Amino acid sequence: MSDSLGIRGYDYIEFYVGSAKMVAYWYAKALNMEITGYQGPETGVRDRISYYLSKNKLKFVITSGLKPDSVEILNFLNLHGDGIKRWAIEVDDVEKIYTHAMEKGAISVRRPQHLKNAHGSVSEAAIRLFDDTELVYINRDNYGHIFKPGYDKPIQNIEIQAEETGLMAVDHIVGNVRENEMDRWANYFNETMNFQTFVDFQKGDIGTKYSALLSKVVRSEKSTIKNPINEPYEGMKKSQIEEYLEQYHGSGVQHVAINTGDIISTIAALRKNGVEFLSVPDTYYDALRDRKDIQIKEDMNELQKLRILCDKESEGYLLQIFTKPIGDRPTFFFEIIQRAGATGFGKGNFQALFESIELDQELRGNLDSNN
Ligand code: FE2
């Protein structure tokens, strides 16, 4: 099921990290993903190591550099710390969408390539996104092996015990950009890939007393790709978006939201696996119980115990929770989301979340705008 440009949905996400082996272990242990592929010196790749992890529709690649001249990776890490280098859209025809995007003003990173081996071929091309991120188009219809050419089974079969998390697929990917960049990047998606802006968080819409943001959401024709873009908006103190831009040293991916069909068991499992989440006070749940407009099927006491948030929309509701930043810098984090008829992104929870994030910012000494 693709749209007029042949966009099918999210494909893989590649992270550049300091030590791929150790970070891959975290993904296997904490998120209960399976290490199903590998490339490195043993497979003939000398300058980098990549672990390919999968679970249901999730496809993550964890990559680190091995040599001082692995400059593309090491320069990224030096500037940004661990983060997302590229995320991919699965398409019917890589040449077609790449050509369209270029005609409409996309910035090229890689022209279409056809990676081949004895198992078949994979087509890929990439355009620029934000400062230092890539948006990849991929098609692997003619490939019958692990991930893509260059990857093979992991060298060692490591058994990692973890609670079953039930994580399913990427729901949306969010970018943080500088002041006045949000409209440019929203237009970039809209013009190059026929996306449309469909939610607009205006000035004064989101924010606490201290920090605020502006946000637009662009989505593909069939809404299989949803990409909110945030920019900072002036507040009394430094906003979480400004903190990200400073600590990441530029614009990039802020969070990836992952779907689950049963968020209560997913979050219980993730907590057992050691994942840390943002919290909200009990008063949040008192207010939620007072709202009678939409019935929530899930047990409110369980939601409260696990600190899962709920946002009601006219057509339904969604349940969501945000991890703390997963790496050393307060930059990238995950969201876990379960949708029950709602198509939004939890706007009603932003206030409670901002207050929670600001507590952590204060601990890091990054809340005061005079810092
Ligand atoms: Fe989100």
Side-chain angles (χ1 to χ4, degrees):
M1 210 192 63
S2 53
D3 63 21
S4 68
L5 281 177
I7 290 175
R8 296 177 183 173
Y10 288 107
D11 198 87
Y12 72 92
I13 297 172
E14 183 164 7
F15 300 78
Y16 279 179
V17 302
S19 171
K21 183 172 184 175
M22 295 188 75
V23 173
Y25 175 84
W26 184 88
Y27 277 84
K29 179 71 188 171
L31 301 192
N32 170 233
M33 296 184 74
E34 195 183 345
I35 300 173
T36 45
Y38 171 84
Q39 74 171 9
E42 298 88 343
T43 65
V45 177
R46 310 303 303 180
D47 68 332
R48 63 181 61 201
I49 280 194
S50 296
Y51 288 84
Y52 173 61
L53 293 98
S54 54
K55 182 174 184 62
N56 295 314
K57 286 187 173 175
L58 292 175
K59 299 180 182 74
F60 289 169
V61 180
I62 314 292
T63 295
S64 61
L66 289 176
K67 297 186 169 186
D69 60 357
S70 307
V71 286
E72 188 234 354
I73 299 166
L74 298 182
N75 286 351
F76 179 98
L77 291 172
N78 189 36
L79 192 61
H80 306 299
D82 289 8
I84 290 182
K85 175 60 188 176
R86 53 183 67 86
W87 56 271
I89 296 176
E90 187 192 9
V91 298
D92 292 341
D93 184 337
V94 169
E95 296 263 0
K96 178 185 159 186
I97 192 165
Y98 174 84
T99 304
H100 176 90
M102 293 306 293
E103 281 170 6
K104 298 290 184 180
I107 304 158
S108 179
V109 175
R110 265 187 310 286
R111 293 169 184 279
Q113 296 177 323
H114 304 285
L115 312 165
K116 290 178 187 159
N117 66 12
H119 303 284
S121 71
V122 169
S123 308
E124 245 191 9
I127 63 166
R128 164 102 169 266
L129 186 63
F130 310 138
D131 278 4
D132 202 8
T133 311
E134 295 170 14
L135 196 161
V136 174
Y137 305 123
I138 188 167
N139 178 284
R140 58 164 71 79
D141 288 353
N142 300 313
Y143 196 60
H145 193 53
I146 297 161
F147 188 41
K148 61 182 180 180
Y151 284 77
D152 225 318
K153 280 187 187 147
I155 305 299
Q156 292 163 319
N157 198 2
I158 309 164
E159 280 281 321
I160 297 168
Q161 300 297 322
E163 292 286 321
E164 169 58 51
T165 57
L167 295 172
M168 296 301 294
V170 172
D171 184 89
H172 59 273
I173 297 178
V174 180
N176 279 347
V177 301
R178 298 177 195 82
E179 213 173 332
N180 290 330
E181 283 185 337
M182 177 181 68
D183 284 337
R184 291 176 188 214
W185 286 110
N187 290 339
Y188 186 80
F189 277 97
N190 295 347
E191 284 163 18
T192 61
M193 289 177 283
N194 296 350
F195 280 36
Q196 280 193 328
T197 303
F198 78 110
V199 178
D200 197 348
F201 292 164
Q202 295 287 356
K203 290 168 188 176
D205 236 2
I206 305 168
T208 64
K209 201 165 85 178
Y210 295 127
S211 65
L213 62 76
L214 302 177
S215 185
K216 281 189 174 173
V217 182
V218 291
R219 67 178 181 190
S220 61
E221 281 170 11
K222 294 198 170 172
S223 294
T224 49
I225 305 294
K226 299 182 283 289
N227 192 79
I229 303 167
N230 304 321
E231 73 173 40
Y233 180 62
E234 59 180 286
M236 277 170 64
K237 300 239 175 164
K238 190 181 294 173
S239 78
Q240 51 160 309
I241 311 302
E242 279 174 278
E243 186 193 34
Y244 175 100
L245 294 168
E246 279 186 16
Q247 298 286 319
Y248 191 79
H249 292 270
S251 59
V253 175
Q254 179 208 39
H255 76 267
V256 170
I258 304 175
N259 292 117
T260 169
D262 179 0
I263 197 165
I264 288 176
S265 61
T266 294
I267 301 309
L270 288 169
R271 286 189 182 277
K272 274 192 188 166
N273 291 342
V275 177
E276 288 183 291
F277 293 96
L278 291 176
S279 193
V280 288
D282 283 322
T283 49
Y284 173 90
Y285 296 92
D286 297 339
L288 194 57
R289 284 188 178 90
D290 287 344
R291 280 189 61 176
K292 306 281 188 224
D293 48 346
I294 293 172
Q295 285 305 309
I296 301 169
K297 279 190 237 135
E298 287 72 16
D299 182 342
M300 188 65 76
N301 294 332
E302 285 294 312
L303 296 179
Q304 182 165 4
K305 195 175 90 187
L306 293 165
R307 288 312 195 238
I308 295 165
L309 309 173
C310 177
D311 195 24
K312 295 178 176 183
E313 295 176 0
S314 55
E315 66 271 43
Y317 65 95
L318 61 82
L319 301 165
Q320 66 183 167
I321 189 167
F322 296 84
T323 72
K324 295 202 171 194
I326 62 165
D328 299 329
R329 301 189 199 185
T331 52
F332 178 78
F333 57 89
F334 283 107
E335 171 186 351
I336 312 299
I337 185 167
Q338 180 182 346
R339 294 186 181 276
T343 55
F345 300 88
K347 186 180 178 184
N349 289 322
F350 277 43
Q351 189 76 21
L353 281 166
F354 267 39
E355 284 161 11
S356 178
I357 288 169
E358 283 174 8
L359 287 175
D360 285 351
Q361 268 183 271
E362 193 154 36
L363 281 174
R364 292 191 286 263
N366 286 344
L367 187 59
D368 198 322
S369 58
N370 298 322
N371 274 0

